[in-house]
């Protein structure tokens, strides 16, 4: 199945869902019809008490659509659909080509009130599978009373997308505001608050039910859920307290997991509660103490002038904080002495204990350092010759003496070498570059890890030799090229038609692809070498990967035909490393499939095609801050930006949260990796079975999480990692728990994989493609007989249309 996508979608914070008047009978009719449709039945929450409230905004947004005469076309298979319909009365004929006879005619019919069609149009931009035409009203089970041919309820796709996005965003804000009021979470940054909010479980309690009693063992904490839910706390020597939507209670378990309840909690109405036990909390964020430390370290690094004045991005602060090592020091230990040569430049953060800072030259600087204080930042700067101290050869001297004065002390230590491993160029600490806003400048530039034979300078198509066509898609072509300036290194040149991109509303995706690729430099990710454009097309010059698609191996392209488990581990481990590299930079890939993983000349996997990538804002830096929040101001509705709502991908690999329009993040890549891992093992995808005949059936299987293995040859570790990745709920999915990508890398399935050697390309690949020369593309489909007419004679762009590509 080919890629599918909706137009780029942004939730509107000021959106007001339309309300069309309905009788009680109409409300009940539309509600029942929606509950029978998989999109709506699954798109709303699972708790019964909230379902009706959430359904109301959806039901209110349906409007009546009357079709006056029989034979009127309601939707066309030649036009992208905009509406979802429910038949109220009359009849609708589905017109198309009968595969048996090859003739155009009726291929289906809606004649029972409550039948629906067009649900896929709500999810993404697609053409209906048939023309929908009003039929003879007498053919329906119910004849319209007003003389119309048929009467329908309908909802526009933009309305549906906005309602679903608002539902998710409002829920996220309400839960995060509730969690921010929990004393034990003071200091946690928004990444951890978001994880906890997403992982809360739902529980429904009846009116008068006792949730827990004073003296009971404490094991869970709670947040009051939907509107109308009320809980009363009593006992513990305090007057009764009424709690409503968004209030948290029972939080003593967070700091005292073995404690007892100090009050009694009773539901005063039928209520929805969001609940989490301490064990689940640990699975979600890890140790609370470690999460608080990491949150504080991130904020501290951002506050230090040395770092604050740099051009570091949020993901770099996150990586730096994760590299702060813990060091135990005994009383009397001298960490370093004033005016001695700097041997190991490092920033130190005091975790506990007392440490003296002594400065003979500037006595006013002397003080006792306690928890949260820091020292050593001066050692990270270069000398007058712009050389850094320690192994870097610079002449740097300590400006103070540091001695432990308590019995013991603990410090966090961030070394210069660890800083360099993240920021790559240490001079960014002292000479921050102006942020470019998205990537390299036009023309060809040398990649840090690409092995280029020569520097080239290309300003347009005339500077390149187009040698062989070896790829063709919806928007353009891919050629093997070399530089006319005498260069011998072949590259891949991706040419995309501006007109086609605009007509398909994918110009922003092409620009985003360039911006994303300009940030990536990893051995298992395709390298962007440079870009340029002319009046008709945009051009991307990339490294050439000659070994063909991973799909060829899976389907038995001369090697296996379904891969042995050891080979599956090799390829999936390489793909995981590439995805992890992107995720650390807040990039969600969203189009993982075997066609988008190529094999290089050594047989290593390389991820390509970044048109569906999305750069998410950091959810861990700066949204909430770190000040203790006794009475925190509520988060504004617009603050939740750590999910994206644009529908895109390939149907076979879509995660449930994409199909259900719930908003998604990097978790969709772990789901797709699970699908791909399954496909490598069994040469088929997990949700496409013999009974699946169309996309709707496929989507039903995905949102229900229905899959099984076709044989008993899979190891227990293989089955376990599949279960972990193909978990419907993103918060419980392998890769989305406290350990993140480490949970995947450390899974028993990958026990035989040395990831350090893998990234250094020191492992022999299971299969190495035979490549006879630098232009050999024999491992790809042949395009010898295809021409390039699709790129020519297209309608020229207007000035305003050209502005869309101005930064390419």
């Amino acid at each position: 199945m080919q890629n599918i996508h909706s137009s780029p979608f942004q939730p509107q914070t000021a959106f007001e869902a339309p309300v069309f008047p309905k009788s009680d009978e109409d409300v009940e009719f539309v509600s029942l019809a929606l509950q029978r449709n998989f999109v709506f039945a699954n798109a709303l929450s699972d708790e019964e008490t909230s379902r009706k409230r959430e359904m109301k905004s959806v039901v209110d947004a349906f409007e009546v659509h009357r079709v006056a005469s029989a034979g009127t076309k309601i939707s066309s298979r030649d036009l992208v659909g905009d509406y979802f319909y429910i038949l109220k009365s009359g009849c609708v004929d589905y017109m198309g080509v009968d595969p048996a006879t090859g003739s155009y005619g009726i291929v289906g019919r809606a004649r029972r009130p409550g039948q629906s069609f067009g649900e896929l149009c709500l999810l993404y931009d697609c053409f209906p599978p048939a023309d929908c035409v009003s039929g003879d009203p007498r053919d329906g089970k119910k004849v319209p009373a007003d003389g119309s041919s048929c009467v329908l309820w309908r909802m526009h796709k933009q309305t549906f997308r906005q309602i679903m996005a608002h539902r998710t965003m409002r829920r996220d804000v309400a839960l995060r505001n509730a969690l921010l009021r929990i004393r034990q979470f003071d200091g946690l940054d928004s990444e951890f608050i978001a994880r906890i909010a997403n992982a809360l479980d739902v529980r429904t309690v009846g009116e008068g039910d006792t949730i827990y009693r004073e003296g009971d063992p404490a094991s869970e904490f709670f947040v009051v859920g939907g509107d109308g839910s009320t809980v009363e706390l009593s006992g513990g020597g305090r007057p009764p307290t009424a709690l409503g939507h968004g209030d948290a209670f029972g939080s003593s378990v967070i700091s005292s997991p073995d404690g007892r309840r100090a009050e009694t909690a009773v539901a005063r109405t039928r209520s929805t509660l969001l609940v989490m036990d301490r064990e689940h909390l640990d699975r979600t964020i890890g140790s609370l103490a470690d999460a608080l430390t990491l949150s504080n370290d991130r904020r501290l690094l951002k506050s230090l002038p040395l770092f604050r004045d740099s051009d570091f991005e949020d993901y770099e602060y996150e990586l730096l904080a994760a590299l702060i090592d813990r060091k135990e020091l005994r009383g009397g230990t001298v960490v370093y002495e004033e005016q001695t040569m700097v041997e190991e430049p490092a920033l130190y953060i005091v975790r506990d204990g007392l440490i003296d800072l002594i400065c003979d030259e500037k006595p006013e600087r002397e003080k006792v350092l306690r928890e949260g204080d820091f020292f050593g930042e001066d050692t990270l700067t270069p000398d007058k010759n712009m050389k850094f101290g320690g192994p870097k050869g610079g002449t740097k001297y300590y400006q103070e003496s540091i001695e432990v004065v308590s019995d013991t002390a603990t410090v966090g230590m961030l070394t210069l070498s660890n800083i360099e491993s993240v920021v790559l160029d240490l001079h960014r600490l002292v000479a921050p570059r102006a942020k470019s806003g998205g990537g390299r400048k036009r023309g060809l530039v040398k990649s840090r890890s690409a092995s280029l034979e020569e520097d080239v300078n290309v300003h347009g198509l005339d500077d390149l030799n187009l040698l062989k066509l070896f790829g063709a898609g919806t928007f353009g072509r891919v050629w093997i090229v070399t530089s006319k300036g005498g260069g011998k290194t072949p590259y891949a040149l991706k040419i995309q038609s501006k007109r086609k991109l605009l007509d398909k509303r994918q110009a922003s995706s092409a620009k985003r692809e360039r911006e994303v690729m300009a940030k990536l430099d990893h051995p298992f990710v395709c390298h962007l070498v440079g870009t340029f454009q002319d009046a008709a097309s945009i051009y991307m010059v990339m490294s050439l990967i000659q070994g063909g698609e991973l799909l060829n191996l899976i389907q038995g392209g001369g090697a296996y035909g379904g891969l042995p488990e050891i080979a599956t581990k090799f390829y999936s481990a390489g793909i995981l490393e590439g995805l992890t590299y992107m995720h650390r930079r807040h990039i969600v890939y969203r189009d993982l499939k075997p066609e988008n993983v190529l094999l290089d000349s050594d047989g290593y996997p390389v991820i390509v095609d970044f048109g569906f990538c999305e750069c998410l804002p950091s959810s861990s830096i700066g949204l909430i801050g770190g000040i203790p929040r006794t009475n925190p101001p509520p988060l504004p509705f617009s603050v939740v930006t750590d999910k994206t709502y644009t529908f895109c991908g390939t149907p076979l690999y879509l995660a449930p949260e994409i199909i259900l329009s719930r908003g998604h993040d990097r978790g969709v890549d772990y789901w797709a990796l699970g699908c791909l891992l399954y496909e490598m093992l069994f040469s088929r995808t997990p949700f496409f079975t013999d009974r699946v005949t169309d996309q709707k059936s496929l989507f039903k299987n995905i949102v229900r999480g229905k899959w099984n293995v076709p044989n008993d040859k899979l190891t227990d570790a293989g089955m376990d990692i599949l279960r972990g990745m193909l978990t419907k709920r993103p918060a419980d999915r392998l890769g989305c728990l406290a350990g993140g990508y480490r949970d995947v890398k450390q899974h028993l399935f990958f026990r035989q994989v040395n990831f350090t050697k893998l990234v250094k390309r020191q492992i022999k690949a299971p299969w190495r493609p035979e490549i006879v020369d630098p232009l050999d593309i024999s491992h790809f489909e042949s395009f010898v007989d295809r021409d390039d007419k699709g790129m020519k004679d297209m309608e020229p762009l207007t000035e305003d249309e050209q502005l869309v590509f101005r930064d390419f």
Side-chain angles (χ1 to χ4, degrees):
M1 296 188 181
Q2 298 300 311
N3 282 340
I4 56 178
H5 53 80
S6 66
S7 303
F9 174 77
Q10 285 294 334
Q12 301 171 7
T13 56
F15 172 78
E16 292 288 340
V19 177
F20 296 99
K22 295 175 183 67
S23 66
D24 291 344
E25 182 183 0
D26 287 337
V27 169
E28 184 69 16
F29 173 81
V30 174
S31 297
L32 288 174
L34 295 182
Q35 291 172 30
R36 291 194 292 265
N37 187 285
F38 85 97
V39 171
F40 294 91
N42 288 282
L44 302 178
S45 64
D46 296 329
E47 62 270 25
E48 180 184 343
T49 54
S50 293
R51 183 185 292 275
K52 291 181 180 178
R53 285 189 293 273
E54 293 174 348
M55 184 73 80
K56 185 178 185 304
S57 62
V58 176
V59 171
D60 286 346
F62 275 83
E63 62 177 329
V64 169
H65 178 62
R66 292 181 170 85
V67 183
S69 58
T72 301
K73 190 174 289 188
I74 300 167
S75 62
S76 171
R77 58 180 178 166
D78 298 322
L79 297 173
V80 172
D82 287 328
Y83 286 93
F84 167 74
Y85 297 92
I86 300 171
L87 180 66
K88 181 178 181 182
S89 57
C91 175
V92 174
D93 294 330
Y94 306 145
M95 308 293 291
V97 177
D98 188 331
T101 64
S103 59
Y104 181 84
I106 297 176
V107 294
R109 175 170 286 176
R111 55 195 299 268
R112 294 190 308 275
Q115 284 185 270
S116 58
F117 56 95
E119 56 273 274
L120 295 183
C121 298
L122 294 177
L123 303 179
Y124 66 96
D125 299 342
C126 66
F127 297 94
D131 295 326
C132 296
V133 179
S134 58
D136 187 331
R138 293 168 297 181
D139 291 337
K141 292 286 187 179
K142 184 177 180 181
V143 177
D146 60 1
S148 302
S149 171
C150 67
V151 180
L152 304 151
W153 291 105
R154 71 178 185 179
M155 172 188 275
H156 197 276
K157 62 185 179 184
Q158 290 299 327
T159 299
F160 170 78
R161 294 172 187 173
Q162 290 289 349
I163 287 175
M164 297 311 300
H166 273 241
R167 170 198 169 273
T168 298
M169 293 175 69
R170 290 190 185 281
R171 175 188 180 277
D172 287 348
V173 166
L175 289 181
R176 296 178 198 191
N177 278 327
L179 296 172
L180 287 172
R181 294 195 291 270
I182 294 177
R183 175 183 56 81
Q184 290 85 350
F185 292 154
D186 277 354
L188 274 187
D189 64 31
S190 62
E191 175 194 358
F192 296 109
I193 293 293
R195 284 195 202 174
I196 297 169
N198 291 335
L200 289 167
D201 293 319
V202 175
R203 184 179 302 169
T204 300
V205 293
E207 181 179 353
D209 286 354
T210 299
I211 301 164
Y212 57 75
R213 297 183 184 277
E214 185 175 354
D216 285 350
S219 60
E220 301 169 319
F221 68 93
F222 303 84
V223 176
V224 181
D227 296 335
S229 298
T230 56
V231 172
E232 183 180 275
L233 301 183
S234 61
R238 295 178 297 180
T241 302
L243 305 178
H245 176 53
D247 289 328
F249 63 99
S251 59
S252 61
V253 68
I254 298 170
S255 54
S256 302
D258 299 322
R260 298 277 174 173
R261 296 298 187 188
E263 74 281 314
T264 297
V266 177
R268 288 308 178 200
T269 61
R270 182 175 175 81
S271 301
T272 298
L273 304 178
L274 297 150
V275 56
M276 178 178 285
D277 61 34
R278 181 54 193 263
E279 183 180 346
H280 193 183
L281 178 66
D282 291 342
R283 292 199 309 271
T284 301
I285 65 169
S287 161
L288 179 60
D290 289 345
L292 287 167
T293 297
L294 188 60
S295 299
N296 290 328
D297 287 347
R298 291 170 177 175
R299 283 186 289 271
L300 175 62
L301 292 179
K302 288 202 79 174
S303 70
L304 293 178
L306 181 65
F307 293 91
R308 186 184 63 216
D309 297 336
S310 72
D311 67 346
F312 295 171
E313 297 191 47
D314 284 344
Y315 77 84
E316 291 175 304
Y317 284 107
E318 294 174 18
L319 294 175
L320 289 171
L323 291 173
I324 297 176
D325 296 322
R326 183 181 179 90
K327 192 170 184 178
E328 306 286 346
L329 302 173
R330 293 181 179 180
T333 298
V334 176
V335 181
Y336 55 75
E337 292 186 90
E338 186 176 359
Q339 293 306 313
T340 60
M341 185 79 76
V342 172
E343 296 180 357
E344 186 176 22
L347 171 72
Y348 296 86
I349 303 170
V350 181
R351 302 295 194 207
D352 61 52
L354 301 176
I355 295 178
D356 254 354
L357 185 154
I358 306 165
C359 186
D360 292 338
E361 285 195 0
K362 297 181 179 179
E364 67 274 11
R365 290 188 58 209
E366 294 186 358
K367 61 180 177 179
V368 177
L369 304 176
R370 293 175 169 82
E371 180 182 355
D373 290 330
F374 58 89
F375 59 92
E377 68 275 19
D378 290 341
T379 69
L380 302 177
T381 58
D383 62 16
K384 62 182 180 181
N385 297 316
M386 295 306 292
K387 289 186 177 181
F388 292 87
K392 296 293 182 181
T395 306
K396 290 284 294 181
Y397 296 90
Y398 291 111
Q399 302 300 305
E400 68 276 321
S401 297
I402 300 293
E403 181 178 356
V404 178
V405 294
S406 55
D407 291 341
T408 61
T410 305
V411 296
M413 180 180 179
L414 179 60
T415 64
L416 187 68
S417 59
N418 276 344
I419 295 173
E420 185 178 27
S421 72
V422 173
V423 304
L424 302 177
D425 179 5
L426 287 175
H427 289 91
R428 294 173 63 193
L429 284 168
V430 290
R433 298 186 297 269
K435 293 188 178 181
S436 62
R440 300 165 177 161
K441 59 186 178 182
R442 277 173 272 184
L444 298 189
V445 294
K446 197 165 185 175
S447 169
R448 285 188 297 272
S449 59
S451 178
L452 306 182
E453 291 183 3
E454 70 285 314
D455 291 318
V456 291
N457 189 19
V458 174
H459 300 287
L461 198 58
D462 291 340
D463 297 324
L464 293 171
N465 298 307
L466 275 64
L467 305 177
K468 290 184 180 181
L469 177 68
F470 79 112
T474 304
F475 305 114
R477 305 284 188 264
V478 181
W479 287 80
I480 294 181
V481 299
T482 57
S483 169
K484 286 184 178 178
K488 297 179 180 179
T489 302
Y491 301 97
L493 174 67
K494 184 175 181 178
I495 308 173
Q496 294 176 280
S497 162
K498 291 181 177 179
R499 169 56 58 203
K500 288 185 178 181
L501 288 168
L502 288 169
D503 289 348
K504 294 291 185 179
R505 291 177 283 190
Q506 290 301 301
S508 60
S509 296
K511 291 172 61 179
R512 186 167 58 247
E513 180 178 18
R514 175 193 181 274
E515 292 168 1
V516 166
M517 291 192 72
K519 298 177 180 179
L520 304 179
D521 189 14
H522 190 272
F524 303 147
V525 175
C526 184
H527 299 290
L528 176 68
V529 183
T531 64
F532 57 92
Q533 62 174 297
D534 58 27
S537 302
I538 56 176
Y539 303 85
M540 300 176 68
V541 183
M542 300 172 287
S543 54
L544 177 63
I545 305 160
Q546 296 176 266
E549 299 172 354
L550 178 61
L551 182 65
N552 296 337
L553 285 187
I554 295 173
Q555 295 180 342
Y560 296 116
L563 306 182
E565 191 166 304
I566 188 65
T568 298
K569 292 176 182 180
F570 174 83
Y571 295 117
S572 56
I575 295 166
L576 174 63
E577 283 290 342
L579 291 176
T580 296
Y581 178 84
M582 288 186 266
H583 291 168
R584 284 173 169 172
R585 287 149 181 78
H586 298 285
I587 297 169
V588 185
Y589 180 57
R590 300 198 297 185
D591 199 20
L592 184 62
K593 57 184 177 181
E595 295 94 322
N596 282 349
V597 179
L598 303 186
L599 303 180
D600 65 16
S601 57
D602 294 321
Y604 278 76
V606 180
I607 300 172
V608 300
D609 199 342
F610 300 88
F612 283 163
C613 277
E614 182 77 31
C615 293
L616 298 180
S618 170
S619 64
S620 60
I621 303 291
L623 287 182
I624 294 178
I627 302 172
R629 300 174 293 270
T630 306
N631 291 296
L635 292 175
F637 171 64
S638 59
V639 80
V640 179
T641 57
D642 52 4
K643 292 180 182 176
T644 181
Y645 296 85
T646 300
F647 189 110
C648 65
T650 302
L652 292 168
Y653 308 90
L654 289 177
E657 58 268 32
I658 295 180
I659 297 172
L660 298 178
S661 304
R662 287 178 171 169
H664 57 274
D665 55 19
R666 65 181 183 183
V668 301
D669 288 338
Y670 290 115
W671 174 278
L673 181 57
C675 293
L676 180 53
L677 198 154
Y678 182 104
E679 187 173 3
M680 284 190 275
L681 291 168
F682 302 115
S683 197
R684 47 166 280 195
T685 53
F687 299 100
F688 192 83
T689 67
D690 294 338
R691 295 183 179 180
V692 173
T693 57
D694 57 16
Q695 209 168 87
K696 190 187 302 185
S697 301
L698 173 65
F699 287 173
K700 286 180 181 179
N701 273 356
I702 292 173
V703 299
R704 293 169 183 168
K706 294 177 61 176
W707 61 275
N708 53 54
V709 297
N711 57 54
D712 58 358
K713 296 180 181 179
L714 186 62
T715 62
D716 290 342
M719 177 62 80
D720 189 71
I721 197 169
L722 287 177
R723 287 198 186 105
M725 288 184 172
L726 299 180
T727 295
K728 288 194 301 180
R729 190 182 186 197
D732 297 331
R733 192 172 297 155
L734 187 64
C736 303
L737 300 172
Y741 72 94
R742 296 180 187 86
D743 289 339
V744 186
K745 291 178 68 171
Q746 294 168 6
H747 192 279
L748 190 60
F749 181 77
F750 288 117
R751 181 177 57 181
Q752 297 168 284
V753 178
N754 185 320
F755 280 88
T756 302
K757 287 187 175 181
L758 180 73
V759 175
K760 292 180 178 179
R761 303 170 64 86
Q762 295 174 349
I763 299 175
K764 184 179 179 181
W767 175 76
R768 183 171 181 171
E770 184 178 342
I771 297 173
V772 298
D773 61 58
L775 302 181
D776 181 7
I777 52 171
S778 59
H779 296 282
F780 291 90
E781 180 183 356
S782 174
F783 288 86
V784 174
D785 297 328
R786 304 191 184 188
D787 58 33
D788 211 22
K789 292 180 180 177
M791 301 293 293
K792 300 176 180 179
D793 303 324
M794 300 194 71
E795 179 185 348
L797 274 63
T798 66
E799 286 188 26
D800 288 343
E801 289 174 329
Q802 289 287 4
L803 287 176
V804 173
F805 301 94
R806 63 178 173 227
D807 296 325
F808 198 87

